[in-house]
Amino acid sequence: IAATFDPSGNLDIYLNGSGTPAASVDATGVGAVNWNADQYLGAFNVSSNTNRGLEGGLDDLAVYEGLLTPAQITGLASGALSPTDIPEPSSALLSLLGMAALIRRRR
């Protein structure tokens, strides 16, 4: 399972490495996650004080800073990409700026 959330409020859920979302939700009213408090994935609902544990375990959990493309999600699921193959937005931007500087310098 992979989920992407973009700033415009779209939440897409991908299953089994498919490049097409299995579900899309308008999540504009969800708001921001408060990262100052402890966060739990599938374990505990703080507002209702109830345990909602997962049957099983989480494996290969990753949180990315940028929005993954459907091709990146498929690549991660198939093993064609590793999490380290996806550049951070800042390093991708630096690479692009470096390439632009080289092209301009050659003129």
Side-chain angles (χ1 to χ4, degrees):
I1 297 174
T4 60
F5 179 75
D6 68 44
S8 67
N10 296 322
L11 175 66
D12 292 330
I13 310 287
Y14 296 84
L15 299 176
N16 299 322
S18 170
T20 305
S24 293
V25 178
D26 178 12
T28 51
V30 171
V33 174
N34 178 4
W35 289 106
N36 295 328
D38 291 337
Q39 300 298 314
Y40 302 94
L41 296 174
F44 191 73
N45 185 334
V46 176
S47 62
S48 66
N49 200 26
T50 54
N51 186 0
R52 303 202 180 199
L54 290 173
E55 293 278 333
L58 295 174
D59 185 26
D60 292 330
L61 176 68
V63 177
Y64 295 92
E65 185 176 337
L67 187 66
L68 296 180
T69 65
Q72 289 172 322
I73 291 170
T74 300
L76 287 168
S78 69
L81 286 177
S82 74
T84 57
D85 292 332
I86 299 174
E88 295 177 25
S90 58
S91 59
L93 179 61
L94 286 175
S95 297
L96 288 173
L97 290 174
M99 292 295 283
L102 283 174
I103 290 170
R104 185 166 184 193
R105 187 174 183 194
R106 293 183 126 204
R107 289 182 188 189

